[in-house]
């Protein structure tokens, strides 16, 4: 059993041995999202001198509204999981330009409550994205700032339910738009 674990460990980490940087990993998170009620984290694993790849996770639980006459409450819950690669022009975890293609699956639920009742909408789908930005890397701390595009793959159906009359409707939607990132990270 020890021999099997040793072989698996060597195979998993042998691709990391040729990286230019002494650090092989970068753990990043989105600090701006924390203010709004979401968290986004990523782990970048060095796989080549200019490339990283790793998981990308996002969770949103945001609520806002008003009380009194005409009160309302909006609620958004979302979970996303995916993978992202990063190509660094000057080598991994080095100051400079980066390009970050990604593929993510997202599941979103929106709820609107007002004096007339509650309406909910649910959608899920695959999303392809690409960011272009600049990274600043110090000893172990780093910042990445970028912008780009994200598009849903295929149609994203949104199921809308109205609690007042129990009606349900499916709305066909093609999702595409601008995306941005500001992340803080630590290499190790």
């Amino acid at each position: 059993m020890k021999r099997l674990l040793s072989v698996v460990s060597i195979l998993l980490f042998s691709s990391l041995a040729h990286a230019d940087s002494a650090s092989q990993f970068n753990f990043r998170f989105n600090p701006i999202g924390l203010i709004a009620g979401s968290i986004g984290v990523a782990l970048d694993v060095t796989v080549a001198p200019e490339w990283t790849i790793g998981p990308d996770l996002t969770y949103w639980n945001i609520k806002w509204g008003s009380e009194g006459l005409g009160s309302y409450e909006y609620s958004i819950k979302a979970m996303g999981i995916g993978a992202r690669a990063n190509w660094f022009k000057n080598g991994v975890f080095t100051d400079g330009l980066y390009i970050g293609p990604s593929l993510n699956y997202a599941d979103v639920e929106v709820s609107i409550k007002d004096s007339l009742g509650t309406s909910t909408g649910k959608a899920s789908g695959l999303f392809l994205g690409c960011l272009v930005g600049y990274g600043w890397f110090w000893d172990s701390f780093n910042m990445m700032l970028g912008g780009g595009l994200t598009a849903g793959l295929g149609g994203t159906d949104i199921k809308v339910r109205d609690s007042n009359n129990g009606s349900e409707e499916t709305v066909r939607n093609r999702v595409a738009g601008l995306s941005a990132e500001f992340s803080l990270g630590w290499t190790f």
Side-chain angles (χ1 to χ4, degrees):
M1 184 64 157
K2 287 182 182 178
R3 180 177 274 169
L4 176 62
L5 290 174
S6 297
V7 170
V8 169
S9 296
I10 289 169
L11 290 174
L12 287 175
F13 295 105
S14 64
S15 65
L16 304 178
H18 64 279
D20 291 338
S21 175
S23 299
Q24 301 299 315
F25 305 96
N26 185 24
F27 174 77
R28 297 181 292 111
F29 79 100
N30 176 352
I32 296 172
L34 293 173
I35 296 167
S38 72
I39 185 161
V41 296
L43 179 67
D44 303 324
V45 180
T46 303
V47 294
E50 292 87 21
W51 283 95
T52 64
I53 191 165
D56 198 3
L57 306 169
T58 305
Y59 176 75
W60 287 25
N61 190 2
I62 301 171
K63 292 182 181 182
W64 72 95
S66 74
E67 295 182 14
L69 189 62
S71 66
Y72 62 90
E73 179 181 291
Y74 293 97
S75 171
I76 301 173
K77 290 185 181 181
M79 292 185 68
I81 185 168
R84 176 169 152 182
N86 289 301
W87 173 80
F88 294 91
K89 181 180 184 235
N90 299 326
V92 296
F93 312 144
T94 305
D95 287 3
L97 176 77
Y98 71 90
I99 298 174
S102 63
L103 179 64
N104 292 285
Y105 172 81
D107 189 38
V108 180
E109 182 177 335
V110 177
S111 174
I112 302 170
K113 295 179 186 177
D114 61 17
S115 60
L116 300 175
T118 302
S119 296
T120 58
K122 293 183 181 183
S124 60
L126 283 173
F127 296 88
L128 184 64
C130 189
L131 294 169
V132 176
Y134 196 89
W136 294 268
F137 291 86
W138 294 278
D139 290 335
S140 64
F141 180 72
N142 61 82
M143 292 189 312
M144 294 173 68
L145 178 65
L149 298 171
T150 299
L153 297 178
T156 305
D157 291 346
I158 301 171
K159 294 182 182 181
V160 179
R161 184 177 192 305
D162 187 338
S163 67
N164 293 329
N165 56 22
S167 67
E168 284 193 29
E169 182 180 349
T170 300
V171 179
R172 293 220 173 258
N173 189 21
R174 294 194 71 72
V175 179
L178 299 175
S179 58
E181 98 169 323
F182 172 68
S183 66
L184 301 177
W186 290 269
T187 57
F188 55 99

